Amino acid sequence: MKKLNDKQTAVNVYRLNSQGKKEAKPYYQRIFKSSETKQITLYGFGGDDEFIIGKDIAGIKIILQKGINKIQFPGKNGEPAE
């Protein structure tokens, strides 16, 4: 998830390949507008799920459900933490 501006948040979902690396093309992608979306709920499916959450999410509530193995919150300058 990444804040694009004060009114929009981008969500990109990627599959991981057999080496655990993110595939180049998103499995799912969407831009959510805070004027239309009050909450985004993401569901993990197993122990290998990773969620990377950007610095700000344009006033949208985020809920992460089950199967979460790793969550990264931003480090310095809003970049994802390693």
Side-chain angles (χ1 to χ4, degrees):
M1 288 185 185
K2 180 180 178 182
K3 179 179 177 178
L4 300 177
N5 56 48
D6 288 339
K7 298 180 181 181
Q8 297 180 317
T9 294
V11 173
N12 294 301
V13 178
Y14 296 88
R15 293 182 192 269
L16 298 179
N17 64 24
S18 59
Q19 290 82 32
K21 301 290 183 184
K22 177 177 77 171
E23 290 185 357
K25 183 179 177 185
Y27 170 74
Y28 171 84
Q29 62 183 23
R30 180 172 171 189
I31 295 175
F32 291 90
K33 297 178 184 178
S34 60
S35 63
E36 300 172 347
T37 306
K38 301 301 175 210
Q39 175 178 304
I40 298 171
T41 303
L42 297 176
Y43 293 88
F45 291 108
D48 295 333
D49 303 308
E50 294 183 17
F51 295 86
I52 300 173
I53 311 297
K55 185 176 180 182
D56 294 313
I57 308 297
I60 299 173
K61 182 178 180 179
I62 305 301
I63 298 176
L64 305 175
Q65 294 286 336
K66 296 183 181 181
I68 299 168
N69 183 40
K70 183 177 182 180
I71 302 174
Q72 294 182 7
F73 291 96
K76 295 180 180 179
N77 302 320
E79 295 299 318
E82 295 297 328

